[in-house]
Amino acid sequence: QARNAARSGNCINNLRIIDSAKEQYAIENNIASGGACTSANCTAYLKNNVMPSCPGTSTAYTVNVIGTLPISPGTLTVVSSP
């Protein structure tokens, strides 16, 4: 149970980090809400230029378009913006 709680916490943090990277990418490139954004676009705004993977499944997150929250491939789906 503690392991699952830790994974959930890591997943939520990863989703926040990805959303922040998307927003930075959009601001620097003057992209409006609904504009396309890929994992490759966000990588430059992430620590060590690496997209995190889901701690529960080790698979990639779905980045989604600008203005839409990223999605986890695990049991959690989205995280609210701060």
Side-chain angles (χ1 to χ4, degrees):
Q1 199 172 24
R3 187 177 302 153
N4 286 337
R7 285 183 183 151
S8 293
N10 286 340
C11 181
I12 290 169
N13 189 49
N14 287 345
L15 289 167
R16 287 185 184 138
I17 290 168
I18 293 167
D19 192 49
S20 178
K22 283 174 49 179
E23 294 302 317
Q24 290 174 355
Y25 167 75
I27 290 168
E28 284 194 13
N29 293 283
N30 210 18
I31 299 173
S33 184
C37 184
T38 65
S39 296
N41 298 135
C42 297
T43 303
Y45 304 94
L46 297 167
K47 184 177 180 180
N48 298 324
N49 296 324
V50 175
M51 181 65 72
S53 60
C54 179
T57 63
S58 298
T59 55
Y61 292 95
T62 303
V63 176
N64 285 330
V65 297
I66 302 299
T68 303
L69 295 172
I71 298 173
S72 169
T75 55
L76 295 173
T77 55
V78 296
V79 62
S80 299
S81 294

